[in-house]
């Protein structure tokens, strides 16, 4: 099945008066924890240019990439090697799923590299200064900053519009969600999985069953299939994104802010039969076999409080917490934080 597609154009061109797509947006996030969006400001070529740069980066020898690694600051900028990040133990949630909707068995850590690059404005003073580290620029990529900033800013602009539309769709003031993320620690965070190594055996898990810590996660289309999503009813579905569209997924912070009305979206990335077919095709054309995701995590500003903005039956399960504390707790749980 395909996710509902929300078009941002009517909202943007009507000067924010066209509301129909706002309701569709919140309904899709509520049911599926995800939505496909079409943003007239983002073209398929932008995504392709970004993916090509990251393919070249991940193709480099391991020792070259390790120069860009900053474990002392919890890998918050620069590269995170494969086999470092552990999916959080979500077995309690997985137990409740029916047999055909169970996650693919895996025993972590994840077989994916990641590169983290900050996007957007920051406040000068914060209680969470470790989240403000200097960017890492890899050697031999003179275009790095321009390509990363350009793609990241496009995704961030999309998320600001989505968050404005979502505020309206939820019956909040249109500026409510944009104001919470205006100075958030947004991270362009592409992953790279080496399908030369892992792309031959269907059932191999590249990123184990998990949810994102973020407010919203946004990506362009990957060149390889393999992402599976769980709907809020616990149904596992392959993620198909129409050409020219972006995928937006609900993270833990949005779950918090909606008092569980929009649940954080669980997902996994595996090598499927379809992935193997694409690997064979690309091999015959001598194309890169690194599966790159053009992902960006957007976050609520760390010094803002997370608490439910909607009245729901689950409100008491979401006690107020600083967004920066919630992120630190989650990083410890996936073994990335230095404690
Ligand atoms: Fe994820």
């Amino acid at each position: 099945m395909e996710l509902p597609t929300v078009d941002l154009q009517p909202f943007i061109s009507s000067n924010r008066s066209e509301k129909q797509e706002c309701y569709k947006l919140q309904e899709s996030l509520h049911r599926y924890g995800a939505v496909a969006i079409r943003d007239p400001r983002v073209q398929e070529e932008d995504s392709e240019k970004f993916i090509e740069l990251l393919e070249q980066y991940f193709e480099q020898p391991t020792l070259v990439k390790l120069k860009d690694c900053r474990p002392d600051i919890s890998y918050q900028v620069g590269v995170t090697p494969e086999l470092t990040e552990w999916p959080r133990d979500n077995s309690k949630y997985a137990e409740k799923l029916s047999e055909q909707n169970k996650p693919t068995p895996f025993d972590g850590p994840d077989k994916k590299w990641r590169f983290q690059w900050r996007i957007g404005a920051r406040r000068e003073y914060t209680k969470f200064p470790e989240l403000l580290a200097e960017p890492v620029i890899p050697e031999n990529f003179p275009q790095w900053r321009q390509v990363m900033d350009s793609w990241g800013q496009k995704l961030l602009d999309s998320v600001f519009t989505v968050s404005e539309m979502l505020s309206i769709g939820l019956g909040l003031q249109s500026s409510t969600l944009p104001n919470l993320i205006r100075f958030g620690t947004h991270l362009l965070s592409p992953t790279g999985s080496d399908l030369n190594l892992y792309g031959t055996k269907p059932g191999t898990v590249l990123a184990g069953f998990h949810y994102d810590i973020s407010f919203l996660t946004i990506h362009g289309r990957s060149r390889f299939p393999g992402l599976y999503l769980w709907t809020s009813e616990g149904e596992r579905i392959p993620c198909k994104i129409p050409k020219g569209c972006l995928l937006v997924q609900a993270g833990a912070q949005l779950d918090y802010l909606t008092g569980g009305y929009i649940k954080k979206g669980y997902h996994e990335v595996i090598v499927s039969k379809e992935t193997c077919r694409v690997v064979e095709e690309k091999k015959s054309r001598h194309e890169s076999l690194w599966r790159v995701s053009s992902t960006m995590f957007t976050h609520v500003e760390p010094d803002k409080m997370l608490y439910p903005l909607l009245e729901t039956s689950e409100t008491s399960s979401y006690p107020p917490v600083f967004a920066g504390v919630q992120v630190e707790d989650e990083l410890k749980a996936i073994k990335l934080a230095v404690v």
Side-chain angles (χ1 to χ4, degrees):
M1 70 148 274
E2 278 195 4
L3 286 170
T5 302
V6 167
D7 194 346
L8 272 49
Q9 176 76 57
F11 183 73
I12 295 171
S13 58
S14 68
N15 203 17
R16 274 74 182 152
S17 63
E18 170 55 59
K19 309 272 164 56
Q20 211 46 45
E21 296 288 284
C22 301
Y23 301 112
K24 194 169 156 192
L25 176 77
Q26 70 90 355
E27 178 63 21
S28 181
L29 284 167
H30 171 61
R31 288 187 63 186
Y32 304 105
V35 63
I37 60 160
R38 195 179 290 282
D39 185 331
R41 298 163 297 185
V42 186
Q43 310 302 323
E44 188 81 7
E45 303 89 82
D46 302 321
S47 167
E48 297 293 304
K49 191 173 167 191
F50 175 81
I51 287 178
E52 266 152 40
L53 175 73
L54 268 296
E55 281 178 354
Q56 285 168 26
Y57 177 77
F58 287 122
E59 296 270 2
Q60 297 181 109
T62 296
L63 283 177
V64 175
K65 287 181 286 193
L66 287 180
K67 287 189 208 164
D68 304 326
C69 195
R70 303 285 183 274
D72 50 319
I73 48 165
S74 310
Y75 304 96
Q76 282 299 292
V77 289
V79 83
T80 309
E82 62 176 9
L83 312 179
T84 303
E85 192 173 325
W86 288 71
R88 190 174 184 154
D89 178 11
N90 291 305
S91 51
K92 276 221 167 66
Y93 179 83
E95 269 166 27
K96 290 186 277 179
L97 296 168
S98 66
E99 219 36 60
Q100 82 260 32
N101 289 310
K102 295 271 189 231
T104 310
F106 69 98
D107 52 7
D110 287 341
K111 297 176 181 67
K112 64 177 192 282
W113 289 74
R114 192 191 279 290
F115 196 100
Q116 304 232 80
W117 180 263
R118 298 183 181 292
I119 295 291
R122 295 287 189 277
R123 283 205 200 274
E124 208 171 323
Y125 299 104
T126 165
K127 290 189 194 70
F128 304 93
E130 72 277 19
L131 300 176
L132 298 177
E134 282 299 304
V136 174
I137 301 179
E139 275 175 33
N140 305 320
F141 290 91
Q143 72 280 45
W144 192 263
R145 184 184 285 275
Q146 194 275 327
V147 175
M148 298 296 270
D149 281 345
S150 157
W151 177 245
Q153 193 56 51
K154 278 175 190 282
L155 293 183
L156 189 55
D157 290 346
S158 281
V159 168
F160 267 101
T161 304
V162 165
S163 66
E164 201 180 341
M165 291 173 72
L166 183 56
S167 302
I168 294 168
L170 292 170
L172 302 166
Q173 289 235 330
S174 63
S175 58
T176 307
L177 296 172
N179 283 347
L180 285 170
I181 62 169
R182 190 149 325 271
F183 295 99
T185 44
H186 310 308
L187 287 168
L188 185 56
S189 191
T191 62
S193 304
D194 188 357
L195 297 181
N196 297 287
L197 284 179
Y198 304 121
T200 53
K201 206 170 137 225
T204 302
V205 176
L206 301 173
F209 181 68
H210 72 285
Y211 59 83
D212 292 346
I213 302 169
S214 58
F215 167 68
L216 288 173
T217 302
I218 183 164
H219 333 233
R221 265 154 45 99
S222 172
R223 290 178 170 177
F224 294 90
L227 172 62
Y228 288 79
L229 306 175
W230 274 261
T231 69
S232 58
E233 267 111 53
E235 190 191 345
R236 180 180 184 268
I237 53 171
C239 180
K240 292 192 188 127
I241 320 228
K243 211 164 182 221
C245 288
L246 300 166
L247 171 68
V248 174
Q249 288 170 281
Q253 293 187 333
L254 183 57
D255 191 332
Y256 227 100
L257 291 169
T258 59
Y261 174 71
I262 294 176
K263 298 270 187 259
K264 55 200 177 211
Y266 284 86
H267 49 281
E268 68 179 10
V269 184
I270 62 160
V271 174
S272 62
K273 281 192 190 133
E274 184 63 6
T275 317
C276 295
R277 195 185 57 73
V278 177
V279 165
E280 286 310 313
E281 267 176 34
K282 283 181 154 285
K283 208 183 263 178
S284 67
R285 295 201 297 264
H286 306 289
E287 292 176 1
S288 177
L289 296 188
W290 280 82
R291 183 191 191 279
V292 170
S293 74
S294 51
T295 310
M296 186 162 82
F297 300 117
T298 62
H299 294 101
V300 171
E301 183 182 336
D303 297 82
K304 296 247 194 244
M305 296 302 277
L306 288 178
Y307 63 91
L309 302 168
L310 307 177
E311 259 318 310
T312 68
S313 57
E314 297 171 70
T315 307
S316 59
S317 320
Y318 296 88
V321 61
F322 276 112
V325 170
Q326 173 256 357
V327 168
E328 282 173 357
D329 289 349
E330 295 272 8
L331 289 176
K332 279 177 206 158
I334 56 172
K335 303 189 183 177
L336 284 183
V338 177
V339 254

